[in-house]
C-alpha cells in the first residue's frame, strides 16, 4: 500500500500548491462558466419551503426561456441594424450573435446541458493504482487456479482453455462491475459482486460445455473457478485491509466538500471522523448563512451556490450533500448534471442514521427515490434460527473448551479466597432480570471497596471503569485480558438467558439511569459479544457503546452475527480495551 500512500501524498501536495497559487482570475474563470456554481439561479428566498419545490422547477425553466427569448430579440434587432448598415456599404453579415448553443450558454451564464463538458476534473492517482494492483492480483490468482486445474485434470483441461481462463476471469469481474470505485474500501457490495460473477461464470461455462458437448472443461468448473473465486476474495480482502491501514495514517483519502446547513455539516464531519478507514477527508464546507468561518475546524468556503468554485479551488473529488440543507430537488439535479464526466462523486446523506442493510430499500414513486424502511425483525423464523444457532454453538464451545474451563477454575481457586464463579444480577430482554455467571476476577470484597475508589472512575458515563483497578486479582487481570472470565456465559446462552451476539448486559443501577431512547437496547437478549466488543471494548465512551448497541438492535441479521463472532476472535487476540 506504500505506493498508494506516496501517490496520495503527491495528490495532496499538488492540491495544496494549486489552491495556494490560484489567482483571482483563475477562480473567476469557473464562475464565469457557472455563475451560480451548481447551475442554479440566485434564490430570492433563502428559506424556501419544500412546498415550493415544484414551483422552483417551473420558474427556473420559464426564466431560461425568457432569457433565451430576450437574447433572440436582441440578436434580431442587432442583425436588422447590421443588415441596414451592410446594405449601405454593400456588405451583409454572414453570422448572428447567437449562432449556436455554446454562445447562448455564454450569454445566459448557464452551462449547455446538451453537452457533457465538465468544469472540474477529479482523478486521484492512488485510486487508479489501487484498482490496477487489484486487477493484477486477480489475474495472478486466476493463473494459480488454472495451474491447479491442470494438475488435478491433466487430460481434461486443454492448454488453450487454461491460457484463456485468467483473461476471461478478470474480464468477467470487470463486466460484473466488481472494480467500480464506489465499492472501494467499504461495505460488502464488492464481495457480493465478485461472488455473483463467479456464479454467473459457472452457469455460462456449464451451459456452453453442455450445448457443444465440450466435457473437457471439468477441471475449469470443479477446480479453476472455485479456486479463482476464493483467491480473489482473499486478494480483495487483503487489499482492503492494506487500504484501511493507509487511511488510518491519513493517506489514500477522498477529498470531500460538504454542502448543507451548519448543524448538519458539523454532524456529518463528526461521524466521518469516527471511522477514518471510510476514507473521507473533509477539506471544505459550503454553508448557507454560516455563523462562523469554520465548522469542526473545517473552513467554510462559500454557500450552496458556489460548490463548483470550491471544488476547483481545493481540488476535491467528492461532494457530500447533508440531510438538512437549502439545496432543493432542482438544485441537486443541476449539481449532478454539472458533475457529469468530471469524475467527482456525489453523495447525498439521508435524514435517518444507524439503519442499514436489508431494512432499507429504494422505492421509486413519481420520479422520487423514496427510502422504504422495514421494521426490525424481533420475532419470526430468523429469530428462531438465531436461537437454535446460539444454543448449538454454545454447546460445541462448552464441549471443546472444557479443559480450559477446568484449568481456569483451578487457577481462580488456588490464587485467591472465594468462590470460583462470580454471580451477578443483570437486566435482560424486555427489562427482565437474570443472574449472569463469570469466572471470578476480583477479590471477594470488591463491592465493598467500590466506594473508596469511585472518584477514580475513568468513564464519562454510568459505568465504572478503571484501567488499573486494585480490586482485580493477578489471575483475574490475565483472565480479563483474554476474556476467559466470560466463558461461563456459554451456560447462560444454553439456558436461553443470553445470546452469543447482542448488546452488553447492563446492571440494574445502569438501567435506572437510562433515558427512554437508551431502553431500546433491552428489546433483544444481551450477548457475550457484540459491536461494542469488536469496536474497542472498555476503551469506548458510554455514548459510543450505547450507540453501537442501538445500531445492533436496528440492523440485526444472521450475517452480521457471524461477522461479529469472527471479529471477536481477532479482538480478543489483539487485547485492545481489555481491563
Amino acid at each position: 500500500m506504500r505506493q498508494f500512500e506516496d501517490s496520495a501524498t503527491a495528490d495532496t501536495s499538488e492540491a495544496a500548491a494549486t489552491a495556494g497559487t490560484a489567482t483571482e482570475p483563475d477562480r473567476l474563470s469557473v464562475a464565469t462558466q457557472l455563475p451560480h456554481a451548481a447551475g442554479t439561479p440566485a434564490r430570492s428566498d433563502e428559506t424556501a419551503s419544500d412546498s415550493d419545490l415544484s414551483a422552483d422547477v417551473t420558474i427556473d425553466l420559464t426564466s431560461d426561456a425568457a432569457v433565451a427569448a430576450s437574447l433572440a430579440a436582441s440578436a434580431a434587432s442587432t442583425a436588422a441594424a447590421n443588415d441596414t448598415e451592410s446594405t449601405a456599404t454593400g456588405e451583409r453579415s454572414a453570422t448572428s450573435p447567437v449562432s449556436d448553443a455554446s454562445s447562448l450558454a455564454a450569454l445566459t451564464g448557464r452551462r449547455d446541458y446538451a453537452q457533457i463538458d465538465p468544469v472540474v476534473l477529479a482523478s486521484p492517482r492512488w485510486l487508479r493504482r489501487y484498482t490496477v494492483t487489484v486487477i493484477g492480483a486477480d489475474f495472478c490468482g486466476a493463473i494459480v487456479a488454472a495451474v491447479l486445474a491442470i494438475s488435478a485434470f491433466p487430460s481434461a483441461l486443454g492448454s488453450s482453455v487454461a491460457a484463456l481462463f485468467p483473461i476471461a476471469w478478470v474480464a468477467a469481474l470487470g463486466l460484473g462491475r466488481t472494480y467500480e470505485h464506489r465499492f472501494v474500501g467499504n461495505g460488502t457490495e464488492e464481495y457480493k459482486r465478485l461472488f455473483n460473477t463467479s456464479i454467473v461464470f459457472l452457469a455460462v461455462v456449464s451451459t456452453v460445455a453442455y450445448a457443444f458437448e465440450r466435457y473437457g472443461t471439468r477441471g475449469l468448473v470443479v477446480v479453476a473457478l472455485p479456486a479463482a473465486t476464493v483467491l480473489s476474495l482473499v486478494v480483495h480482502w487483503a487489499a482492503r485491509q492494506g487500504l484501511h491501514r493507509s487511511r488510518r495514517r491519513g493517506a489514500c483519502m477522498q477529498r470531500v466538500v460538504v454542502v448543507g446547513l451548519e448543524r448538519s455539516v458539523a454532524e456529518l464531519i463528526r461521524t466521518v471522523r469516527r471511522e477514518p478507514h471510510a476514507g473521507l477527508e473533509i477539506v471544505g464546507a459550503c454553508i448557507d448563512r454560516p455563523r462562523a468561518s469554520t465548522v469542526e475546524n473545517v473552513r467554510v468556503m462559500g454557500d450552496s451556490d458556489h460548490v463548483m468554485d470550491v471544488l476547483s479551488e481545493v481540488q476535491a473529488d467528492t461532494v457530500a450533500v447533508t440531510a438538512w440543507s437549502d439545496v432543493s430537488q432542482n438544485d441537486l439535479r443541476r449539481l449532478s448534471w454539472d458533475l457529469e464526466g468530471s469524475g467527482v462523486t456525489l453523495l447525498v446523506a439521508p435524514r435517518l442514521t444507524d439503519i442499514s442493510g436489508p431494512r432499507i430499500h429504494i422505492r421509486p414513486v413519481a420520479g422520487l427515490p423514496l427510502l422504504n424502511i422495514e421494521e426490525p425483525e424481533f420475532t419470526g423464523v430468523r429469530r428462531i434460527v438465531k436461537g437454535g444457532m446460539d444454543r448449538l454453538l454454545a454447546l460445541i464451545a462448552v464441549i471443546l473448551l472444557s479443559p480450559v474451563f477446568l484449568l481456569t477454575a483451578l487457577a481462580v481457586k488456588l490464587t485467591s479466597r472465594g468462590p470460583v464463579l462470580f454471580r451477578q444480577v443483570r437486566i435482560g430482554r424486555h427489562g427482565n432480570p437474570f443472574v449472569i455467571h463469570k469466572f471470578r476476577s476480583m477479590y471477594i470484597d470488591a463491592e465493598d471497596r467500590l466506594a473508596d475508589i469511585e472518584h477514580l472512575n475513568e468513564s464519562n458515563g454510568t459505568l465504572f471503569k478503571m484501567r488499573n483497578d486494585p480490586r482485580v486479582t493477578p489471575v483475574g487481570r490475565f483472565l480479563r485480558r483474554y476474556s476467559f472470565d466470560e466463558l461461563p456465559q456459554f451456560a447462560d446462552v444454553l439456558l436461553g438467558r443470553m445470546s452469543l451476539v447482542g448488546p452488553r448486559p447492563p446492571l440494574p443501577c445502569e438501567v435506572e439511569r437510562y433515558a427512554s431512547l437508551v431502553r431500546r437496547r433491552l428489546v433483544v437478549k444481551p450477548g457475550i459479544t457484540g459491536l461494542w466488543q469488536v469496536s474497542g471494548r472498555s476503551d469506548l465512551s458510554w455514548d459510543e457503546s450505547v450507540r453501537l448497541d442501538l445500531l445492533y438492535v436496528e440492523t440485526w441479521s444472521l450475517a452480521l452475527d457471524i461477522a461479529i463472532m469472527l471479529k471477536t476472535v481477532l479482538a480478543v487476540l489483539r487485547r485492545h480495551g481489555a481491563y
Side-chain angles (χ1 to χ4, degrees), residues 46 98 107 148 183 206 332 356-357 396 462 474 482 494 514 540:
E46 288 291 337
V98 186
L107 289 173
L148 292 175
F183 304 138
S206 301
L332 189 59
S356 60
I396 294 173
T462 61
Y482 292 99
L494 287 173
Y514 276 179
L540 295 175

Side-chain angles (χ1 to χ4, degrees), residues 280-301:
L280 300 180
E281 178 188 7
I282 312 297
V283 295
C286 292
I287 299 176
D288 294 310
R289 303 178 301 280
R291 292 175 296 179
S293 60
T294 61
V295 175
E296 296 291 331
N297 296 322
V298 174
R299 189 158 63 100
V300 178
M301 307 185 68

Side-chain angles (χ1 to χ4, degrees), residues 49-60:
S49 64
D50 290 340
S51 61
D52 295 328
L53 292 180
S54 58
D56 236 3
V57 179
T58 306
I59 292 172
D60 187 54

Side-chain angles (χ1 to χ4, degrees), residues 296-356:
E296 296 291 331
N297 296 322
V298 174
R299 189 158 63 100
V300 178
M301 307 185 68
D303 56 23
S304 58
D305 286 334
H306 297 85
V307 177
M308 303 301 288
D309 293 348
V310 175
L311 277 174
S312 179
E313 182 175 349
V314 301
Q315 298 293 298
D317 52 54
T318 303
V319 176
V321 181
T322 64
W324 302 97
S325 68
D326 284 343
V327 179
S328 67
Q329 294 177 10
N330 191 41
D331 296 335
L332 189 59
R333 180 175 59 177
R334 284 185 177 274
L335 177 59
S336 67
W337 289 352
D338 288 333
L339 296 177
E340 283 181 357
S342 66
V344 177
T345 301
L346 176 61
L347 305 176
V348 180
R351 293 185 180 181
L352 71 163
T353 60
D354 291 340
I355 298 178
S356 60

Side-chain angles (χ1 to χ4, degrees), residues 219-550:
L220 184 66
V221 174
V222 176
V223 178
L225 190 53
T229 302
V230 172
L231 290 173
S232 289
L233 286 172
V234 172
V235 162
H236 285 245
W237 177 83
R240 178 172 294 194
Q241 297 307 307
L243 181 62
H244 287 178
R245 285 193 295 271
S246 298
R247 285 175 167 176
R248 282 191 286 269
R249 291 192 292 266
C252 301
M253 306 289 280
Q254 291 179 259
R255 296 172 60 82
V256 184
V257 172
V258 186
V259 183
L261 299 181
E262 189 167 359
R263 179 179 176 182
S264 61
V265 167
E267 289 177 352
L268 180 61
I269 293 173
R270 288 193 294 267
T271 301
V272 166
R273 286 175 177 171
R274 277 204 303 262
E275 297 188 10
H277 66 266
L280 300 180
E281 178 188 7
I282 312 297
V283 295
C286 292
I287 299 176
D288 294 310
R289 303 178 301 280
R291 292 175 296 179
S293 60
T294 61
V295 175
E296 296 291 331
N297 296 322
V298 174
R299 189 158 63 100
V300 178
M301 307 185 68
D303 56 23
S304 58
D305 286 334
H306 297 85
V307 177
M308 303 301 288
D309 293 348
V310 175
L311 277 174
S312 179
E313 182 175 349
V314 301
Q315 298 293 298
D317 52 54
T318 303
V319 176
V321 181
T322 64
W324 302 97
S325 68
D326 284 343
V327 179
S328 67
Q329 294 177 10
N330 191 41
D331 296 335
L332 189 59
R333 180 175 59 177
R334 284 185 177 274
L335 177 59
S336 67
W337 289 352
D338 288 333
L339 296 177
E340 283 181 357
S342 66
V344 177
T345 301
L346 176 61
L347 305 176
V348 180
R351 293 185 180 181
L352 71 163
T353 60
D354 291 340
I355 298 178
S356 60
R359 289 184 55 199
I360 296 181
H361 304 280
I362 296 179
R363 181 180 176 183
V365 176
L368 295 176
L370 303 181
L371 291 180
N372 185 44
I373 311 298
E374 296 182 357
E375 294 183 6
E377 190 171 351
F378 300 125
T379 59
V381 175
R382 290 200 301 165
R383 278 290 172 181
I384 295 174
V385 173
K386 175 180 171 65
M389 184 179 71
D390 284 342
R391 286 176 169 84
L392 177 62
L393 294 179
L395 180 60
I396 294 173
V398 169
I399 294 173
L400 295 179
L401 297 175
S402 54
V404 179
F405 276 79
L406 181 59
L407 292 175
T408 304
L410 287 174
V412 173
K413 187 65 177 176
L414 297 176
T415 55
S416 62
R417 293 186 302 108
V420 172
L421 293 179
F422 171 73
R423 297 174 177 86
Q424 190 178 46
V425 175
R426 297 292 181 99
I427 303 300
R429 187 182 182 189
H430 301 320
N432 298 320
F434 74 98
V435 177
I436 195 173
H437 297 83
K438 294 184 177 184
F439 283 121
R440 182 173 55 83
S441 60
M442 289 186 171
Y443 294 105
I444 57 175
D445 60 345
E447 292 296 325
D448 299 332
R449 296 166 58 185
L450 177 61
D452 298 333
I453 60 173
E454 202 162 13
H455 64 284
L456 300 175
N457 187 9
E458 298 176 7
S459 172
N460 58 356
T462 61
L463 293 177
F464 178 83
K465 295 180 182 180
M466 188 175 177
R467 195 172 293 271
N468 295 310
D469 195 331
R471 302 174 300 159
V472 179
T473 66
V475 170
R477 207 170 299 280
F478 174 82
L479 297 180
R480 289 188 171 199
R481 186 176 300 120
Y482 292 99
S483 298
F484 286 160
D485 61 321
E486 312 281 352
L487 293 179
Q489 294 176 28
F490 283 116
D492 295 321
V493 174
L494 287 173
L495 294 173
R497 300 168 180 170
M498 294 181 64
S499 177
L500 290 179
V501 182
R504 187 188 59 81
L507 293 165
C509 60
E510 295 176 47
V511 176
E512 291 175 359
R513 287 178 278 181
Y514 276 179
S516 60
L517 293 179
V518 180
R519 290 185 62 85
R520 175 74 169 175
R521 70 203 294 260
L522 302 177
V523 79
V524 298
K525 291 180 182 180
I528 298 177
T529 185
L531 286 175
W532 52 274
Q533 177 87 348
V534 300
S535 303
R537 304 169 78 177
S538 296
D539 286 340
L540 295 175
S541 66
W542 164 253
D543 291 339
E544 185 65 11
S545 63
V546 169
R547 187 188 72 84
L548 290 173
D549 282 343
L550 294 177

